[in-house]
Structure formats: structure tokens, C-alpha cells
Amino acid sequence: WKEDLTQKAAEAFLRQQQSAPSLRKLIYGTVAEDEEDEGKAGGELGGLFRVSRPDKESKRKADALDCSKFPVEAPKDWDLDEVMDSIRDCFVTGNWEADKDA
Amino acid sequence: MASHSHSLNYVGCNFLRQRLVLSTLSGRPVKIRKIRAKDDNPGLRDFEANFIRLIDKITNGSRIEINQTGTTLYYQPGLLCGGSLEHDCSPSRSIGYYLESLLCLAPFMKQSLRIVLRGVTNDQVDPSVDVLKATALPLLKIFGIDGEELELKITRRGMPPKGGGEVVFVCPVKKAVKPVQFTDPGKIKRIRGVAYSVRVSPQIANRIVDSARSILNKFLPDIYIYTDHMKGTSSGKSPGFGLSLVAETTNGAFLSAELVSNPQGEGVAVLPEDLGTDCAKLLLEEIYRGGCVDSTNQSLVLLLMTLGQQDVSKVLLGTLSPYRIEFLRHLRSYFQVMFKIEMKPSDEERKGGEKVLMTCVGTGFSNLSKTIK
């Protein structure tokens, strides 16, 4: 069973890479995809007119306010016990993992 | 520095600060076009022009070209020289806007930076000086940027719209940044905060403290919120009050939240009690997001990881904000560094939301302009 360990490891790694929703792809994108998008946006109509459809979202983003704060979009109701319980173990007063000591 | 390399091109005024900061550190010129080109009032705003002046002040030999309408900016970075400086910030943005960029640049100066910044210390848009003092300075220390000089002091508090605050920022220079492995934030052991009031009744700060405590005491007994009432000339030119809270964990991570009253003559009056409870809830939201670094300082930590020595750095972060995602893209175009990004789903139920593990190899950036004594 020892023979193709490296290959097995490589396969396992690839499987893992594919299954996880790739945040990396989301952030960095791939060059091929970008080009494809651009091709679509600047499409020509009947070979004569260019469809001018400014991308509202990207326009707004380009000239948006330069601010580093990360506002909370959907505030939770922190008066509810269930919501409060969701972060209970972030505090020293919460439960500790078995391998760690207070 | 590679000044002959071709410049990077961008469109729009968003992310102006990170583009200029990264350009200064990497030595790559940058050209930004169409700054508010479709706007009724096109071109750079006064606070952006003010920021560019600040960059010009801390560098030597930068070339800045702005066209007549202010819609195109070309910036060729010079060397960071630092030294003892003063700067009057534009009151339309708070000092935090300028300080965030200075925190990124200050460790890489020729001489250690000592700068006096004047303007608005706390506003509703940018991270306040209090929060940066409590969260960004410990972060710099983790990366080996410390020493007795590292200091951020509020000598005067200034609220919008008129400002009148004053801050002193001192930062030592370092030749290189240590790589870090910071993947376990630990547990929150205490919460500290500052409730401040200027040109209003000092009792307001006490009312804020009481209401904030009533929420946070359900989680933790160790809570202390200082009240800071500045009088006379140190209280700036406009009235206002606010609260900033910082949660400290056993492993030295800091998570923060803050709220400020509406500026004089704008919006409805805010009750101090409501401000206190809302701010406490914002802190709980921040704890839910979690990670080893709070959401305001994510770019600083990502930058320092990129600039570290050629070794692996790992940091666990909470949810990535859109601003940070853009910062990651910028890091790739300026430094050719790509991060390995792993989702860490919350396996235990009571430890907040999903976390993201960021891993990268530093570029081995070293501060060439630092003088050797």
C-alpha cells in the first residue's frame, strides 16, 4: 500500500481543493474568465453599433467612499438567548476545550 | 527602487489610499484616471488632496501630477524619509483616515516618524484614533515593530464638523518585519473602553457606560470603561460624545467596535443610553465575526504579512470585507503575492461565524532607506 502514497496524497489534495467553495477563485479570479466577461460587455450589435451598457455596479464601486470600516449589514438581535449563545464560548467564562486549561 | 517599471493603471477614486500606500512601498508608479468623472463635482475632493499632500510630506522626491479638473492622478513614489512633522488634516474626514495609511508606512521610513496630526479625532465614517490606538499598535508589536517610542497620544479631542483635535503619533523604524503565526485568538478575558464627551455634560459619559455594561456583563465580569471628559482648549470646536470598546483575548488579539453621536446640526439627537447599548451590540457582532485581528485592521495585517521575511505567515481572520478583498487584489498587482485562503467553518456551535485562514510567504521586503547607526 505504500507504493503510490504521493499520488494518493495529490489526489486527496485535489479532491479537497475542488470540493471547498474556492474563496481564492472568488478573490483573484482567473484571467481567462475576466477576458470573457469583457468580450461580452463590449459586444457589437449587427456589427455596426456598440452596445453601451455601463456596468452600474462597477461604476459605483469605482467612485465609492474610500473607507476601511466593515459595517454590519444584518444586525442580529442580541437580546435573544439563542443569539447570545452563539458566541458564548468566545469568552473565558464559556466552555473550554478539553486540551486547554484556564 | 524600480522606478523605470511601467505604472499601474486604475479607474475611480475608491481605494485611493491603499493604491498610493502600496505604490510607495513597492516603488511602482500608479496612474488613476476618471476620478469622479461623471460626477457634478468632478475630480479629487479636499480630503484626498490633503492626503496626497501628506504623502508628499513624508516622502522625498515623489512626483505627483494632477490634471486641471483633478480627474487624473499620476504618482511616482519617492523615498520615505519620515522625521518630525506636523499636518493639518481636512475636517471632512477624521484623523483615522490618514492614520491608517501612516500605520502602514511608518515602520519603513528613513528616520523614525513623529507626526502631529490636527483635525477630527472621532467621526462616524472612519475608525477613530481611540480604536486604532487600542488595536493597531498591539498588532504592530506582534510583527516586531515595537520599542518605547511606539506611541499614539490624543492631546485634544475634536468632533465633526469643525474638528480641532490633536494627535501625536510616534513610530520606530525597522529594517524587516517578522513573519507571524497567529491562528488561535484564544478567549476574551476582558473588555475595555473609552466613553468620551466634549462640550456636553460630563454626565453623558456615565450614562453611556452604564448602558453598555448592562449588555456586556451578561458575558463577562471584567469590564472597565473609562470616562474621558475633555475641557477647555482640549475639547475641540464642536460638541459630541461617543464610545469605543475593545475586547482583549488571552492570546493578545483585539476586537473593537465604536459609535459616535450625530454631528451638531445633522440628524436626530442620539440618546446616550441607546448609543451605549448599540455599541455593545456592535462589539458582539465583531466577536461573532471573530478572528485574531478585528475587521478594521485586516489590511494592515495582510500588508505586514506580505512584507515579512521570506517565511510563511499564517493569520486567522473573521469574515473578509469587500474592502479587504480589493486590498488582496492590489497586493497581488503590486507585490505579486497571492494568499492561500482556507475557510474554517465553525465546528463548535458557540464560537461565532466562519473564519478564514490566510497564509502567505513574505516577499522579504527590507527597509533600504533606514540609516544604520
Side-chain angles (χ1 to χ4, degrees):
Chain A
W1 61 273
K2 278 182 192 167
E3 278 153 25
D4 42 47
L5 262 186
T6 42
Q7 207 199 329
K8 270 184 196 164
E11 273 168 18
F13 177 74
L14 278 179
R15 233 180 297 129
Q16 198 196 339
Q17 286 287 63
Q18 278 165 0
S19 62
S22 181
L23 209 59
R24 187 191 177 95
K25 200 169 177 185
L26 211 66
I27 291 173
Y28 293 123
T30 45
V31 185
E33 266 181 8
D34 283 354
E35 278 170 2
E36 209 174 280
D37 285 347
E38 246 160 63
K40 271 183 214 155
E44 286 182 17
L45 205 72
L48 186 58
F49 303 106
R50 280 178 62 86
V51 185
S52 166
R53 208 182 300 120
D55 192 349
K56 272 270 169 61
E57 190 63 32
S58 75
K59 270 271 146 48
R60 196 152 6 110
K61 209 175 120 197
D63 273 341
L65 189 74
D66 181 12
C67 175
S68 67
K69 262 205 193 167
F70 187 17
V72 180
E73 262 149 27
K76 296 173 205 44
D77 187 359
W78 288 104
D79 296 323
L80 293 173
D81 276 342
E82 303 92 82
V83 181
M84 272 164 61
D85 276 340
S86 67
I87 58 166
R88 193 69 80 178
D89 286 349
C90 294
F91 295 87
V92 281
T93 46
N95 289 335
W96 287 70
E97 291 86 355
D99 58 327
K100 278 180 198 146
D101 253 341
Chain B
M1 305 232 167
S3 55
H4 50 269
S5 61
H6 65 98
S7 65
L8 288 162
N9 290 295
Y10 293 106
V11 169
C13 68
N14 205 356
F15 315 113
L16 177 86
R17 285 178 300 164
Q18 34 174 285
R19 282 166 188 167
L20 294 187
V21 164
L22 291 173
S23 164
T24 314
L25 287 171
S26 67
R28 288 192 74 174
V30 63
K31 190 173 187 183
I32 301 167
R33 296 177 301 121
K34 292 187 186 166
I35 299 171
R36 297 194 183 89
K38 297 261 170 79
D39 208 286
D40 291 341
N41 179 12
L44 292 163
R45 294 273 186 277
D46 60 338
F47 63 89
E48 286 159 341
N50 191 292
F51 177 75
I52 295 167
R53 273 202 295 280
L54 175 65
I55 292 280
D56 188 37
K57 220 176 250 184
I58 56 172
T59 57
N60 193 3
S62 298
R63 219 175 87 201
I64 297 158
E65 284 162 25
I66 301 170
N67 74 347
Q68 207 143 36
T69 48
T71 51
T72 307
L73 164 72
Y74 176 77
Y75 171 63
Q76 189 182 351
L79 290 172
L80 285 162
C81 58
S84 201
L85 297 167
E86 286 183 24
H87 186 73
D88 289 315
C89 301
S90 161
S92 37
R93 293 298 283 265
S94 83
I95 292 177
Y97 174 83
Y98 303 90
L99 203 55
E100 275 185 300
S101 299
L102 284 179
L103 283 163
C104 299
L105 294 171
F108 309 105
M109 303 263 172
K110 182 174 182 178
Q111 293 162 321
S112 53
L113 182 73
R114 163 179 281 275
I115 190 162
V116 180
L117 296 163
R118 292 192 199 89
V120 177
T121 51
N122 306 72
D123 77 354
Q124 292 176 320
V125 184
D126 293 295
S128 71
V129 182
D130 299 84
V131 159
L132 289 175
K133 179 181 177 171
T135 58
L137 294 198
L139 193 63
L140 287 179
K141 283 181 189 157
I142 292 171
F143 283 89
I145 302 157
D146 51 1
E148 276 175 29
E149 309 102 284
L150 185 61
E151 195 191 3
L152 180 56
K153 208 167 93 187
I154 304 167
T155 46
R156 284 179 197 171
R157 221 175 255 289
M159 303 297 289
K162 285 188 191 146
E166 193 179 270
V167 169
V168 184
F169 174 52
V170 189
C171 182
V173 285
K174 285 288 163 221
K175 192 159 183 301
V177 180
K178 278 198 296 195
V180 295
Q181 314 274 328
F182 196 6
T183 52
D184 181 17
K187 291 186 188 290
I188 293 162
K189 59 176 178 183
R190 56 175 166 233
I191 293 174
R192 294 287 176 266
V194 184
Y196 51 87
S197 54
V198 287
R199 297 191 171 262
V200 290
S201 156
Q203 197 54 39
I204 283 182
N206 297 334
R207 287 162 66 186
I208 297 175
V209 173
D210 287 342
S211 60
R213 286 190 72 108
S214 70
I215 300 251
L216 298 173
N217 263 336
K218 292 175 194 161
F219 293 96
L220 202 67
D222 188 358
I223 296 167
Y224 195 88
I225 302 170
Y226 299 86
T227 53
D228 178 14
H229 182 72
M230 289 209 171
K231 282 184 258 184
T233 49
S234 53
S235 65
K237 294 173 186 159
S238 299
F241 55 88
L243 171 67
S244 66
L245 292 170
V246 176
E248 189 187 345
T249 69
T250 46
N251 288 1
F254 293 83
L255 302 171
S256 68
E258 63 177 327
L259 266 186
V260 185
S261 64
N262 288 327
Q264 186 182 26
E266 282 174 45
V268 287
V270 184
L271 270 181
E273 282 81 8
D274 293 347
L275 186 131
T277 47
D278 289 350
C279 186
K281 284 175 184 171
L282 277 183
L283 184 71
L284 297 180
E285 292 279 356
E286 185 68 38
I287 292 167
Y288 183 82
R289 280 179 190 159
C292 297
V293 179
D294 82 330
S295 59
T296 18
N297 290 304
Q298 280 177 358
S299 354
L300 182 62
V301 73
L302 292 173
L303 177 74
L304 292 174
M305 282 167 76
T306 310
L307 296 179
Q309 284 159 20
Q310 287 187 323
D311 203 346
V312 179
S313 286
K314 272 188 187 188
V315 170
L316 187 75
L317 296 181
T319 323
L320 287 174
S321 70
Y323 193 77
R324 249 44 77 159
I325 289 171
E326 199 59 36
F327 188 72
L328 284 170
R329 291 178 187 147
H330 279 118
L331 278 178
R332 181 180 64 164
S333 35
Y334 282 97
F335 289 102
Q336 288 81 45
V337 167
M338 276 167 90
F339 280 77
K340 184 176 171 214
I341 304 150
E342 287 166 277
M343 295 294 270
K344 292 272 169 209
S346 44
D347 39 355
E348 293 133 293
E349 270 180 35
R350 309 207 298 170
K351 290 190 95 176
E354 279 191 329
K355 312 284 185 286
V356 188
L357 182 65
M358 308 291 294
T359 314
C360 85
V361 177
T363 50
F365 183 87
S366 75
N367 184 2
L368 293 172
S369 43
K370 180 177 183 286
T371 44
I372 298 158
K373 283 172 207 153

